[in-house]
Amino acid sequence: MQKMDSGDLYKRVKITRGDGSKPHVLIIGGGVSGLTTAWTLCNSGCKVTVLAKQYAQRGAHGNEIVSEIAGALWEWPPAVCGSHGKDTDAQLKNLQRWCQISYLQFKNIADKFGAEDTGIRKRMSCFLFDRKLTTGGLKKKNEIEVVCDGFNDDVQGLIKKYNINTNPAKKGYNIVEGYEHLSYVVDPGNYLHWLKRLVEDKDVALLQGVVEDTLYEEAPDLLKRFKADIIVNCTGMTSRELCGDEKMKPLRGILIHAKNDGKQFKKIESCISISQRDADANATAEEKRKAEEGRFEFIVPRNDDILILGGYAQMGEETLEWNEKEHQYLERMKAGCVNLYPDLAKAEFTDYYYRVGIRPFRDEPRVGQDDKNPKIFHNYGHGGSVL
């Protein structure tokens, strides 16, 4: 993999105190962005306090924070399941830089601390397509060959290796192109608990609380109350109200949880995904519906026991409830994955069966200093870049 100097990724703002003591940073938000920011700032020599409405808690099925629900497969931008709205060359360059640093960090964490503790696992990831790649898709493939380990684009070999259903009589897929590479899957529950322990060991204070009004109104009081020098906002979707950011849009994701214990079918150790052709003017009603609802099929082994099946990316949907009899989202997801990998017809499901989360989508992630208040920094809006 190409090495990258991360020094040019960020605008560096030096924070100093007259008495020479550590600068104190208050982070709002206790999900993966908030805790990762806390870890990074601790390593930079800052004192850090995190204020969050809720943190990840073991066994909180049905009451998870958004970061716990994510499928959490590392993927080179733009993501299969919901790229950012603009995807300009400049924006993609930033996203790709961040992703490359993440790839190296996940590798280092997994190698040093192990999967059982951190929830980070090395996985081969196979991406399949029902059409020839052109322009952006071909560019992404060529970039992946350079930046990721284990790249392989022998399509027929991949179909055989992953036992992909290509039989039209059995609703198989017409696979035209594909590739695989080494990636990382993060079990968010384990990872968030590991992050919490990590930052607590570095004397980060994890406090519970909420910001009642807008961040701009509350900032002076928050800085004074916590004796902080700056605030870093990592609140995700809440930033729509907290900062008046109308660019934030809810992107509902739905995932099914199946057992992957090797009893009903051979244990799946790699990630498999198929991206289907966008609907055109001559598409059938079903094809148009799929395109509008952001349909794609993926099979991701989250950990040693659980398989994630998906999926949907539904822009503008911010309720966690729907009428399954009318929409049949779960049945369609399950059927699509079975068509891709027929052995899943025998799958047993976990007691909680599926999970729904609202990704914090923004046309461009907001990372950096606020243009109104120089004591506020932002790190949110990454929800279009994760599976």
Side-chain angles (χ1 to χ4, degrees):
M1 181 176 190
Q2 276 187 333
K3 298 239 176 147
M4 177 171 282
D5 176 10
S6 62
D8 64 344
L9 296 185
Y10 315 100
K11 174 186 175 184
R12 296 186 177 275
V13 179
K14 190 170 183 179
I15 305 164
T16 59
R17 286 186 157 187
D19 61 2
S21 62
K22 290 182 178 182
H24 185 190
V25 180
L26 174 64
I27 296 172
I28 311 295
V32 68
S33 294
L35 294 181
T36 302
T37 301
W39 177 23
T40 304
L41 290 174
C42 276
N43 289 341
S44 299
C46 296
K47 176 183 176 182
V48 178
T49 297
V50 181
L51 181 67
K53 181 180 179 180
Q54 182 181 344
Y55 295 93
Q57 297 187 21
R58 294 193 185 279
H61 298 310
N63 192 36
E64 301 98 329
I65 62 174
V66 173
S67 292
E68 291 179 272
I69 297 171
L73 166 67
W74 182 95
E75 192 181 344
W76 187 248
V80 167
C81 71
S83 62
H84 286 280
K86 293 180 180 176
D87 284 343
T88 62
D89 288 343
Q91 180 191 339
L92 277 174
K93 188 176 180 182
N94 278 335
L95 292 174
Q96 289 167 352
R97 284 170 155 182
W98 298 337
C99 277
Q100 196 167 31
I101 296 301
S102 297
Y103 190 95
L104 294 172
Q105 288 282 19
F106 286 144
K107 180 181 186 304
N108 291 339
I109 294 170
D111 289 347
K112 184 175 181 179
F113 299 100
E116 186 173 343
D117 201 25
T118 66
I120 299 173
R121 288 168 173 80
K122 241 179 237 189
R123 303 282 194 196
M124 289 303 294
S125 294
C126 177
F127 295 89
L128 304 168
F129 305 87
D130 66 351
R131 77 278 188 188
K132 293 295 289 182
L133 296 176
T134 58
T135 320
L138 191 58
K139 182 173 180 288
K140 176 178 174 177
K141 174 185 173 182
N142 293 335
E143 290 166 346
I144 287 173
E145 186 172 7
V146 174
V147 301
C148 295
D149 298 325
F151 181 85
N152 167 32
D153 62 353
D154 174 9
V155 179
Q156 293 307 312
L158 293 174
I159 290 171
K160 183 177 180 181
K161 176 180 178 179
Y162 291 103
N163 197 26
I164 303 300
N165 177 22
T166 58
N167 185 347
K170 296 182 178 179
K171 299 183 179 180
Y173 291 91
N174 177 33
I175 307 299
V176 175
E177 195 153 355
Y179 51 81
E180 68 174 347
H181 62 82
L182 182 66
S183 187
Y184 291 87
V185 175
V186 181
D187 182 340
N190 275 12
Y191 183 57
L192 284 164
H193 290 292
W194 178 78
L195 273 177
K196 282 172 67 179
R197 292 197 305 272
L198 188 74
V199 298
E200 285 177 321
D201 287 345
K202 293 177 179 289
D203 295 324
V204 172
L206 300 182
L207 307 179
Q208 277 196 273
V210 296
V211 178
E212 298 289 350
D213 293 312
T214 71
L215 189 54
Y216 299 113
E217 292 172 316
E218 292 290 320
D221 179 65
L222 288 168
L223 290 167
K224 182 179 179 181
R225 184 169 21 131
F226 292 98
K227 297 179 179 164
D229 298 289
I230 65 167
I231 296 169
V232 181
N233 169 33
C234 300
T235 59
M237 197 62 219
T238 303
S239 294
R240 183 174 56 179
E241 289 75 33
L242 209 60
C243 305
D245 189 347
E246 294 303 320
K247 292 182 180 179
M248 289 298 295
K249 303 169 188 173
L251 183 64
R252 182 168 69 186
I254 307 172
L255 301 171
I256 291 176
H257 288 223
K259 295 180 181 179
N260 191 31
D261 53 14
K263 293 180 180 178
Q264 300 302 318
F265 51 85
K266 184 179 178 181
K267 196 165 191 173
I268 297 175
E269 304 283 358
S270 301
C271 307
I272 308 168
S273 171
I274 181 165
S275 176
Q276 298 176 69
R277 187 189 306 274
D278 293 334
D280 55 30
N282 298 318
T284 65
E286 177 69 4
E287 288 170 336
K288 289 179 180 177
R289 179 193 59 72
K290 284 185 177 182
E292 288 170 0
E293 293 179 344
R295 278 304 307 278
F296 44 88
E297 267 70 57
F298 61 79
I299 301 165
V300 175
R302 167 170 280 183
N303 50 42
D304 292 335
D305 303 307
I306 303 298
L307 202 62
I308 301 295
L309 308 180
Y312 276 94
Q314 300 171 314
M315 182 62 71
E317 295 286 352
E318 52 188 318
T319 174
L320 301 180
E321 305 295 332
W322 69 86
N323 185 328
E324 178 60 18
K325 285 186 178 180
E326 178 183 348
H327 296 100
Q328 295 188 319
Y329 294 145
L330 301 176
E331 289 305 309
R332 290 173 188 164
M333 286 165 57
K334 195 162 58 172
C337 290
V338 168
N339 290 344
L340 183 64
Y341 191 85
D343 276 358
L344 287 176
K346 298 176 280 188
E348 292 183 353
F349 301 94
T350 64
D351 292 340
Y352 44 90
Y353 185 32
Y354 69 91
R355 279 290 170 264
V356 188
I358 307 300
R359 297 185 186 97
F361 178 94
R362 198 173 187 270
D363 283 342
E364 185 173 6
R366 192 178 186 187
V367 180
Q369 195 170 26
D370 190 86
D371 54 2
K372 295 179 183 177
N373 187 333
K375 289 187 176 292
I376 297 175
F377 291 76
H378 300 284
N379 180 17
Y380 67 85
H382 304 282
S385 299
V386 291
L387 193 158

